[in-house]
Amino acid sequence: MVLWYVWLASLKIRIAIIGQSNFAADVLELLLERSNIQIVGVFTIPDKGTREDILATTASIHNIPVFKFASWRRKGVALPEVLEQYKSVGATLNVLPFCSQFIPMEVIDGALLGSICYHPSILPRHRGASAISWTLIEGDEVAGFSIFWADDGLDTGPLLLTRQTNVEPTDTLDTIYKRFLYPEGVKAMRVAVDMVASGTAPKIIQAEVGATYDPAMFKTENQVINLQASAERIWNFVRGLDSVPGAIATVLHENGTEEQIRLFGAHLYSAGPVSDGKVLRLRGLTKPAWIHSRGLLIEGTDGAFVNIRRIKRGTKVISASDWFRQSENQSITDFTEDELTKRTLLAGIWNAILKEEIDSSTDFFASGAGSMDVVRLVEEVKEVFDVPLQNEQVFMAPVFEEFFSELVRFLRQGSACSSDQQLDFEAFTLKANKRKIRVPTQLFINGEFVDAEGQRTLEIVNPTNEEVLCKVACASATDVDKAVQAAHSAFYGPWKQITPRQRGQLMVNLADLMERNKEELATIESVDSGAVYTLALKTHVGMSIEAWRYFAGWCDKIQGNTIPVNPARPNNVLTFTRKEPIGVCGLITPWNYPLMMLSWKMAACVAAGNTCLIKPAQTCPLTALKFAELTVRAGFPPGVINVLPGKGSDAGQAVADHQLVRKLGFTGSTPIGKHIMKSCADSNLKKCSLELGGKSPLIIFADCDMDKAVKHGMSSVFFNKGENCIAAGRLFVEDRIHDEFIRRVLKDLRTMTIGDPLDRSTVHGPQNHKAHLDKLLEFCRRGVDDGAKLVYGGCRVPHLKGYFFTPTVFTNVTDDMFIAQEESFGPIMIISKFSGSDVDSLMERANRTEYGLASGVFTKDIGKALSFADRIEAGTVFVNVYNKTDVAAPFGGFKQSGYGKDLGQEALNEYLKTKCVTVEY
């Protein structure tokens, strides 16, 4: 016998491969690498229409004879013509990697060395055609495969080898096949052939103890789930048929009709009953099932729960949470030329797989595609189009046109979106600036414009003429909760599937749309907030666009570090950090720069991978609502960005209090900031960043460039009507130039053009709203009462309708006065003089404030300037310039001006959390 094996080993083994599928084709490819093996024939199934099995295609490429038999026998007797063709190849070993046909014993025993078969279970357990399914259905802790010598029984022949793996809680039929049974099985088939070739292949008789013969799950009657079972049994049954063919359940509709569905994506659910669910009745289930935000919740007989993520209705798989949704995603019809070219490429991929002509109604599965065809389609689409497609997307869009639409949605999330589709929303038409602009007036939640609870509204007043522009929806705490839930679902759903680079491209898409619509945005901003149009165009909108472009570049550059730590010898330790998004972030922004404040915060927030909801200022929310429209056109998934106009006491407070909001970014007054901070602590200790009030000192030394000092000194106070958080709240002017400085300021003020902000010649527009105008008038009254000298302004602009306030200058202001200590947030210049001989006292006076947002100095002496920068207690220092901000430079204050940064790389840290991972090896 030994000599016989030695002789056999010196010869090439002549192998006949009998079977089908990618698995068999991969086994063929591996065996071709062996020099002592010759593949003499491939025996497989006939073509399905024009579709040839991949095993036959692979064999033909290598010039291996291919034989296609519809059947090997008739009425239990081998077909002579089939046997004759089989014998013609002279095989010495039959290899059956995966075979769905009954092979007669004349073939099994027809090879000198016999026949070896692959079976996806650890024999003798789970004999039969549905071994993988039953491994999961029975809750086995271990799965595996066997390669055995075929005999005349059903998977009963002697074992050659077995391999096993632990069954993971996340495993389904698909995953266990893809991660272990397929790749390891292919390699094991080559090992088995090598053992046969070397004469070392054992023949271990199978034990009958523990043997099971399980029903075939390709029979429909065996796919019906028994809901009168424990949660674990229900879970195991569903995952044992996921993703093909799916567990069958029957919905009992309220009108008495029934609907058969299939269940996918099961997992044990430990969070207990849901409070936000809708009842769905299933046959065989005594208690109602619940459709909720995460799927379909089913209670087992043991009181535990199973959650189902996906349901198949007819030919389409949907998210279970969408069962009661009335309107599905609108089909895309406005394809670009480039997208139509991609449609042709996609049709070619489908044609190569299905081997038939492809039209818009071609159904992938109705055309005969199986689970391995799904894998092939997904991998080819990934390679050709570079999109993060998953298998489940094929099941959710099996018809070609549906699948193409899904592909386009992915592509539009990764490239500039050309869609100018009009969304469905209630709006008012703003007629201004020689334009007609359609502006949404509803809340923006989960990708849709919706009414507020109880249809509550806010009146939006045009500060230029004091007339009501329109009414917009006013969010309640309930509306805030809906937006938070949408953001939460998006964060753990579609937003997670988008890669950082695609996220950056979405932001670029949005910036492009803002650029394309910048005149409209600037017009809305000007009418809504009173900003001068030219400033709105350059700064309010221009810097907003820059922020989105800047932070888009950071999306794929957010990374952690590796950290050298002291390992516990003899083991090694790897420690690294990950920068991760926080989750749902709430943003509350002020009325002075409506769109820019939104963009400064939201761009960093979104770039970091968070989802968000924003409550814009209640007096001017219109650009935020127009912005919301652009986010849809840019391709952002529903729920990622939500916009809720409303009152601070209602909607703003609800954002600060909500348990699912993990970060709050706020810009506003210091008193409100303190309240926000307390609410963040009391609710769930949410992270918060605060950009609050300021009383920024600007010091002008006698050795300054006077022209520059006057120009920037004016800008430091009167820029954007003084409604500027870093405005110079107090100017310290050296006594030697004090009078000249004031003279030149007054000269320029007398020629300042005040009026309609849409007029291109206007320099100074109206204050944002009536309450603020009244506050400025009271501020000036206090200054006069305290003894400050009012040298200009201090009143409304006479004979001009609207909230127009005259630019104002106070001199002779002492440190103890109210106007020297408190922020006006308006166009009021507060001037105090100082002696250049006592810089120490000057610095003490400049720092004698609880604010620390910004500061400035004008001098030609670089030593003075750097000394000032070193000693001043402020987050921003300007030297010989003012208001010079940039999206790449961090922005934020000290002391009661808040903490945290907007803009620059540092802003990302406000919306990230650091996770430390330590691995011992």
Side-chain angles (χ1 to χ4, degrees):
M1 179 65 71
V2 173
L3 291 175
W4 183 81
Y5 271 118
V6 171
W7 169 77
L8 184 64
S10 67
L11 302 176
K12 277 193 173 184
I13 294 183
R14 296 171 61 83
I15 290 178
I17 293 183
I18 304 173
Q20 66 214 63
S21 80
N22 292 74
F23 184 88
D26 283 352
V27 170
L28 169 60
E29 295 275 13
L30 273 186
L31 293 181
L32 286 171
E33 297 174 2
R34 290 292 192 255
S35 60
N36 62 335
I37 289 171
Q38 180 181 358
I39 310 297
V40 295
V42 163
F43 298 84
T44 187
I45 58 175
D47 297 350
K48 295 180 180 178
T50 58
R51 288 189 68 204
E52 182 179 59
D53 188 81
I54 186 65
L55 176 59
T57 303
T58 305
S60 297
I61 292 171
H62 295 285
N63 298 315
I64 298 170
V66 176
F67 305 86
K68 302 175 182 178
F69 302 144
S71 177
W72 291 72
R73 62 184 185 171
R74 184 179 296 116
K75 295 182 179 180
V77 178
L79 297 171
E81 63 274 20
V82 171
L83 282 178
E84 182 179 349
Q85 292 184 66
Y86 165 73
K87 291 177 181 178
S88 70
V89 301
T92 56
L93 177 67
N94 296 326
V95 175
L96 286 73
F98 173 78
C99 184
S100 63
Q101 296 176 307
F102 287 101
I103 310 301
M105 289 307 299
E106 289 89 339
V107 174
I108 295 296
D109 295 335
L112 178 64
L113 298 176
S115 302
I116 60 172
C117 301
Y118 171 90
H119 183 78
S121 78
I122 304 172
L123 292 172
R125 187 162 173 80
H126 303 310
R127 292 170 176 165
S130 302
I132 312 175
S133 292
W134 283 102
T135 298
L136 293 167
I137 291 170
E138 291 297 321
D140 293 0
E141 294 183 358
V142 175
F145 59 82
S146 306
I147 298 175
F148 67 96
W149 298 93
D151 63 8
D152 58 356
L154 179 62
D155 305 327
T156 57
L159 298 174
L160 192 159
L161 63 77
T162 60
R163 298 284 188 268
Q164 67 180 44
T165 184
N166 292 329
V167 176
E168 301 295 336
T170 54
D171 271 329
T172 64
L173 184 152
D174 270 1
T175 62
I176 202 168
Y177 183 67
K178 285 193 289 187
R179 74 172 176 84
F180 183 78
L181 298 176
Y182 186 112
E184 295 303 318
V186 169
K187 290 185 283 187
M189 287 299 290
R190 183 171 69 176
V191 171
V193 171
D194 287 344
M195 293 171 72
V196 174
S198 65
T200 60
K203 292 187 177 181
I204 303 168
I205 303 301
Q206 290 191 40
E208 286 305 309
V209 177
T212 61
Y213 295 87
D214 302 313
M217 298 308 292
F218 55 76
K219 295 181 178 180
T220 304
E221 61 267 24
N222 294 332
Q223 299 163 11
V224 178
I225 190 168
N226 175 20
L227 295 174
Q228 283 299 303
S230 67
E232 186 171 355
R233 293 289 296 176
I234 295 171
W235 167 55
N236 282 332
F237 191 88
V238 174
R239 66 184 185 138
L241 280 76
D242 189 347
S243 61
V244 176
I248 295 175
T250 301
V251 176
L252 305 176
H253 292 295
E254 292 183 0
N255 61 6
T257 61
E258 298 183 356
E259 179 181 359
Q260 190 178 91
I261 60 173
R262 292 185 182 269
L263 310 178
F264 304 94
H267 64 97
L268 293 174
Y269 186 88
S270 59
V274 296
S275 57
D276 62 340
K278 292 183 179 181
V279 171
L280 187 71
R281 299 204 173 273
L282 301 176
R283 180 192 289 166
L285 192 64
T286 56
K287 295 182 179 180
W290 296 90
I291 296 290
H292 66 122
S293 59
R294 298 189 197 175
L296 168 64
L297 199 63
I298 298 173
E299 184 175 353
T301 54
D302 56 351
F305 292 89
V306 179
N307 193 55
I308 307 296
R309 293 191 183 96
R310 299 181 301 281
I311 295 174
K312 186 174 184 180
R313 302 184 76 172
T315 61
K316 187 170 184 178
V317 179
I318 64 169
S319 294
S321 58
D322 290 341
W323 180 271
F324 290 111
R325 182 172 291 181
Q326 297 301 310
S327 57
E328 297 298 323
N329 285 336
Q330 294 181 350
S331 58
I332 300 174
T333 57
D334 57 332
F335 299 113
T336 65
E337 288 186 15
D338 181 60
E339 288 166 349
L340 291 175
T341 300
K342 289 180 170 62
R343 187 183 193 279
T344 303
L345 288 174
L346 181 65
I349 295 173
W350 277 52
N351 174 265
I353 296 172
L354 300 179
K355 305 297 185 185
E356 64 179 57
E357 290 299 316
I358 306 300
D359 59 34
S360 60
S361 62
T362 301
D363 188 301
F364 195 68
F365 299 108
S367 298
S371 58
M372 290 312 302
D373 295 312
V374 171
V375 175
R376 179 182 171 188
L377 175 61
V378 168
E379 293 307 314
E380 289 197 27
V381 169
K382 281 182 180 178
E383 183 177 352
V384 173
F385 300 107
D386 190 26
V387 293
L389 201 65
Q390 301 296 327
N391 288 9
E392 66 184 54
Q393 261 108 29
V394 183
F395 293 97
M396 298 180 85
V399 177
F400 180 78
E401 201 62 30
E402 294 174 349
F403 187 84
F404 175 59
S405 292
E406 286 301 306
L407 174 62
V408 169
R409 288 189 179 95
F410 274 115
L411 292 169
R412 288 183 179 181
Q413 289 167 358
S415 62
C417 173
S418 63
S419 171
D420 284 318
Q421 62 178 320
Q422 290 293 323
L423 301 175
D424 183 21
F425 54 76
E426 293 181 9
F428 91 102
T429 300
L430 174 62
K431 298 177 181 179
N433 216 11
K434 298 180 180 179
R435 296 175 179 272
K436 293 182 179 179
I437 306 170
R438 193 165 178 262
V439 184
T441 57
Q442 296 171 287
L443 309 180
F444 182 70
I445 299 175
N446 203 28
E448 298 177 336
F449 285 98
V450 296
D451 289 334
E453 180 186 33
Q455 296 188 318
R456 299 196 319 167
T457 59
L458 291 168
E459 284 191 346
I460 305 302
V461 176
N462 183 344
T464 301
N465 57 22
E466 304 181 46
E467 295 176 0
V468 174
L469 268 173
C470 63
K471 292 183 179 181
V472 301
C474 179
S476 67
T478 301
D479 296 317
V480 168
D481 180 64
K482 290 177 182 176
V484 172
Q485 297 294 343
H488 185 73
S489 296
F491 181 75
Y492 290 102
W495 199 229
K496 286 278 188 186
Q497 298 175 13
I498 291 175
T499 65
R501 196 158 295 171
Q502 285 181 311
R503 189 163 69 239
Q505 186 60 59
L506 278 173
M507 296 175 68
V508 171
N509 296 352
L510 180 57
D512 289 345
L513 284 167
M514 292 170 72
E515 182 83 42
R516 195 186 311 167
N517 293 274
K518 62 184 179 182
E519 288 84 4
E520 286 193 358
L521 291 168
T523 301
I524 298 169
E525 188 100 334
S526 185
V527 173
D528 195 23
S529 72
V532 172
Y533 176 77
T534 50
L535 178 65
L537 191 62
K538 178 180 181 294
T539 301
H540 289 232
V541 177
M543 200 170 183
S544 298
I545 296 168
E546 289 178 12
W548 284 99
R549 293 199 193 286
Y550 171 79
F551 283 108
W554 274 110
C555 289
D556 60 355
K557 301 170 188 67
I558 297 170
Q559 56 196 19
N561 298 294
T562 55
I563 303 171
V565 297
N566 189 25
R569 300 295 184 187
N571 293 332
N572 295 308
V573 172
L574 169 66
T575 296
F576 61 92
T577 58
R578 288 169 50 91
K579 294 288 188 179
E580 299 181 351
I582 293 172
V584 179
C585 299
L587 309 174
I588 302 175
T589 49
W591 40 259
N592 57 330
Y593 295 100
L595 184 63
M596 194 172 80
M597 291 294 99
L598 174 154
S599 298
W600 281 20
K601 295 186 185 300
M602 193 182 292
C605 171
V606 170
N610 301 285
T611 59
C612 65
L613 62 154
I614 184 168
K615 192 209 82 64
Q618 74 180 66
T619 60
C620 47
L622 298 184
T623 39
L625 291 170
K626 189 66 178 177
F627 167 87
E629 177 191 347
L630 298 183
T631 66
V632 178
R633 289 166 53 189
F636 279 86
V640 174
I641 294 170
N642 304 271
V643 180
L644 292 92
K647 298 179 179 178
S649 56
D650 294 336
Q653 187 64 54
V655 173
D657 290 341
H658 204 289
Q659 295 291 317
L660 290 180
V661 174
R662 295 296 174 184
K663 159 67 200 277
L664 194 145
F666 172 78
T667 295
S669 71
T670 296
I672 299 299
K674 291 180 178 179
H675 180 80
I676 290 275
M677 189 174 179
K678 184 175 186 299
S679 296
C680 289
D682 288 343
S683 56
N684 59 348
L685 209 62
K686 59 175 60 71
K687 184 178 182 179
C688 66
S689 53
L690 306 171
E691 197 261 278
L692 307 176
K695 191 68 175 175
S696 302
L698 173 59
I699 295 176
I700 301 175
F701 285 99
D703 63 352
C704 70
D705 179 327
M706 180 64 83
D707 291 339
K708 198 171 186 181
V710 171
K711 174 186 173 183
H712 287 284
M714 295 266 297
S715 173
S716 74
V717 176
F718 303 122
F719 187 82
N720 199 49
K721 311 163 293 175
E723 296 169 354
N724 188 21
C725 50
I726 58 171
R730 192 172 180 193
L731 275 66
F732 294 90
V733 181
E734 190 170 347
D735 50 11
R736 288 183 293 163
I737 61 168
H738 176 270
D739 293 347
E740 175 63 12
F741 179 83
I742 292 174
R743 184 189 69 78
R744 293 182 61 168
V745 165
L746 295 180
K747 176 185 176 184
D748 287 351
L749 281 180
R750 292 186 182 101
T751 60
M752 181 181 287
T753 304
I754 302 173
D756 183 356
L758 292 175
D759 189 319
R760 303 308 191 265
S761 65
T762 297
V763 176
H764 190 86
Q767 306 307 135
N768 184 272
H769 54 278
K770 178 67 161 57
H772 183 53
L773 176 67
D774 292 341
K775 175 189 170 187
L776 295 179
L777 293 170
E778 174 60 20
F779 187 90
C780 291
R781 187 191 63 77
R782 286 288 300 270
V784 172
D785 289 349
D786 286 348
K789 183 178 181 181
L790 177 64
V791 296
Y792 194 85
C795 60
R796 294 185 69 155
V797 176
H799 314 300
L800 192 60
K801 188 177 182 181
Y803 306 137
F804 291 94
F805 182 81
T806 305
T808 297
V809 179
F810 276 102
T811 61
N812 297 344
V813 179
T814 58
D815 295 352
D816 60 326
M817 292 180 181
F818 174 84
I819 63 172
Q821 299 172 4
E822 296 301 323
E823 180 182 32
S824 71
F825 209 65
I828 301 175
M829 183 176 283
I830 309 295
I831 300 177
S832 301
K833 67 173 66 174
F834 71 92
S835 169
S837 64
D838 190 3
V839 176
D840 288 342
S841 295
L842 171 65
M843 293 306 303
E844 183 180 339
R845 294 172 69 192
N847 283 327
R848 193 186 296 153
T849 172
E850 275 301 302
Y851 300 109
L853 188 56
S855 61
V857 60
F858 279 83
T859 176
K860 293 178 181 177
D861 186 335
I862 190 64
K864 261 185 213 174
L866 291 177
S867 175
F868 172 84
D870 181 55
R871 298 170 67 181
I872 196 68
E873 296 170 1
T876 295
V877 180
F878 297 110
V879 177
N880 293 328
V881 73
Y882 208 89
N883 286 325
K884 187 68 175 178
T885 55
D886 188 273
V887 292
F891 182 95
F894 300 160
K895 299 188 285 190
Q896 290 195 45
S897 287
Y899 58 88
K901 297 295 181 183
D902 289 328
L903 303 181
Q905 183 179 359
E906 287 194 40
L908 291 168
N909 293 327
E910 304 298 329
Y911 299 95
L912 292 166
K913 57 190 178 187
T914 302
K915 178 182 289 181
C916 182
V917 181
T918 297
V919 182
E920 187 174 85
Y921 60 98

